């Protein structure tokens, strides 16, 4: 079932959209392999999906979209692939500023970006600053992100400030302090695991796993998933 034609969602007005959608964008490498291409071609194609899904979410009124782009474990990949991903990220961000501004999208990053080049760090800061006034969708890129690392950093910051460790304190010091908890987590490519993504923030998320590889993921499939989400009964421990 799809609610969308010509990029205009036809979701009924009573449709309860999730406020915060988070996506584990997986399967770029396999997409390339299936076509006899290098893994890097899959990452390039994946960037196009990032753009189309982000602008679609902005259009239909999703408020927060977190995209897992590089994990703390992804440094284990061959050096050349890591270098390619860093360059691709740089290129994507520089190209994307206009799309963000045209679609009223605020750009934010979570993860420990200190390990990135100073050039990449300053591009990230610059785009965060230039889009900070945007009030539509907040697109959050998870970069050198790992949930265990994020929680550890948060607790350490609270300890340094001699604050009692409570749920509120941890929320305040997490990289995601500015965003509500995640309503819906989607993972592409058929893997059924979380891979260190938003463990704290997804305590009560709904999950959706699809076999589609990230470069093949479309607005139509997202609409189907959103439609499925509306049918789930979220009880939050109640009855
Ligand atoms: C996801 O695609 C992108 C990143 C982790 C950067 P993969 O590169 O993991 O693709 P597969 O899982 O090898 O197909
Ligand atoms: C998870 O994908 C990380 C990102 C999508 C950035 P991976 O492809 O790295 O995950 P694993 O290692 O297969 O679990
Ligand atoms: Mg993968």
């Amino acid at each position: 079932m799809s609610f969308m034609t010509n990029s205009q969602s036809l979701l009924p007005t009573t449709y309860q959209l999730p406020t915060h959608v988070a996506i584990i964008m997986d399967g770029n490498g396999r997409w390339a392999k299936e076509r006899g291409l290098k893994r890097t071609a899959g990452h390039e194609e994946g960037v196009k999906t990032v753009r189309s899904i982000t602008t679609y979410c902005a259009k239909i009124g999703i408020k927060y979209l977190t995209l897992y782009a590089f994990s703390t474990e992804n440094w284990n990949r061959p050096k050349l692939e890591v270098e390619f991903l860093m360059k691709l990220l740089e290129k994507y961000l520089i190209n994307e500023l206009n799309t963000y501004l045209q679609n009223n999208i605020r750009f934010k990053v979570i993860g420990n970006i200190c390990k990135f080049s100073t050039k990449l760090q300053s591009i990230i800061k610059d785009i965060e600053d230039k889009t900070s006034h945007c009030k539509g969708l907040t697109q959050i890129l998870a970069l050198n992100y790992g949930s265990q690392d994020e929680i550890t950093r948060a607790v350490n910051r609270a300890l340094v400030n001699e604050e009692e460790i409570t749920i509120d304190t941890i929320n305040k010091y997490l990289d995601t302090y500015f965003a509500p908890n995640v309503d819906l987590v989607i993972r592409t490519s058929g893997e059924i695991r979380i891979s260190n993504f938003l463990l704290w923030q997804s305590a009560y998320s709904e999950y959706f796993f699809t076999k589609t590889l990230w470069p093949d993921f479309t607005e139509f499939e997202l609409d189907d998933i959103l439609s499925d989400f509306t049918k789930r009964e979220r009880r939050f421990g109640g009855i």
Side-chain angles (χ1 to χ4, degrees):
M1 173 176 28
S2 176
F3 292 102
M4 197 192 69
T5 55
N6 301 327
S7 289
Q8 289 300 308
S9 177
L10 298 178
L11 301 173
T13 46
T14 52
Y15 189 95
Q16 189 58 51
L17 281 174
T19 304
H20 189 167
V21 176
I23 308 182
I24 302 173
M25 311 184 287
D26 199 10
N28 293 348
R30 279 163 282 172
W31 182 92
K33 200 175 163 205
E34 275 178 4
R35 288 161 179 78
L37 302 169
K38 288 192 198 147
R39 290 178 55 82
T40 50
H43 295 313
E44 272 170 340
E45 199 64 25
V47 168
K48 296 181 192 164
T49 311
V50 170
R51 187 171 298 126
S52 63
I53 293 298
T54 300
T55 47
Y56 182 66
C57 284
K59 251 179 217 146
I60 64 172
I62 303 266
K63 296 306 292 180
Y64 296 86
L65 173 68
T66 301
L67 300 173
Y68 205 5
F70 193 87
S71 75
T72 45
E73 287 70 38
N74 286 148
W75 297 106
N76 294 329
R77 296 190 176 203
K79 191 164 168 264
L80 278 179
E81 180 166 343
V82 171
E83 278 170 8
F84 181 88
L85 285 168
M86 294 300 142
K87 279 272 162 259
L88 187 64
L89 183 62
E90 220 176 275
K91 219 164 64 183
Y92 165 78
L93 288 175
I94 293 169
N95 277 337
E96 222 50 17
L97 183 59
N98 276 341
T99 310
Y100 290 138
L101 295 174
Q102 278 162 15
N103 293 280
N104 199 20
I105 298 169
R106 176 171 68 140
F107 168 73
K108 296 283 278 178
V109 162
I110 57 170
N112 189 355
I113 59 166
C114 300
K115 253 188 113 170
F116 289 176
S117 70
T118 42
K119 185 180 173 202
L120 185 50
Q121 288 183 51
S122 73
I123 294 170
I124 289 169
K125 285 279 157 272
D126 186 51
I127 298 185
E128 281 185 334
D129 289 348
K130 286 184 172 141
T131 61
S132 62
H133 63 283
C134 294
K135 297 273 184 289
L137 173 75
T138 298
Q139 185 215 50
I140 304 163
L141 281 195
L143 299 175
N144 189 25
Y145 178 86
S147 218
Q148 294 181 336
D149 174 67
E150 180 197 27
I151 294 167
T152 309
R153 285 186 287 107
V155 171
N156 273 315
R157 265 181 273 169
L159 290 176
V160 166
N161 293 340
E162 297 184 359
E163 289 187 44
E164 189 191 348
I165 304 298
T166 64
I167 291 176
D168 285 345
T169 323
I170 292 177
N171 276 327
K172 185 173 88 178
Y173 286 108
L174 285 174
D175 297 349
T176 51
Y177 67 90
F178 56 87
N181 277 337
V182 178
D183 298 298
L184 172 63
V185 177
I186 300 168
R187 183 172 190 145
T188 59
S189 90
E191 309 295 355
I192 318 284
R193 56 175 173 264
I194 293 309
S195 305
N196 205 3
F197 187 49
L198 299 172
L199 302 177
W200 176 280
Q201 299 86 341
S202 65
Y204 255 106
S205 299
E206 298 296 323
Y207 283 88
F208 198 99
F209 296 93
T210 169
K211 289 206 164 75
T212 305
L213 303 174
W214 177 247
D216 290 330
F217 190 73
T218 62
E219 297 94 325
F220 295 99
E221 185 166 4
L222 179 58
D223 257 359
D224 282 348
I225 295 169
L226 293 174
S227 160
D228 177 277
F229 173 84
T230 63
K231 293 180 199 119
R232 308 240 185 135
E233 196 188 337
R234 303 183 78 194
R235 284 188 289 275
F236 298 99
I239 53 170

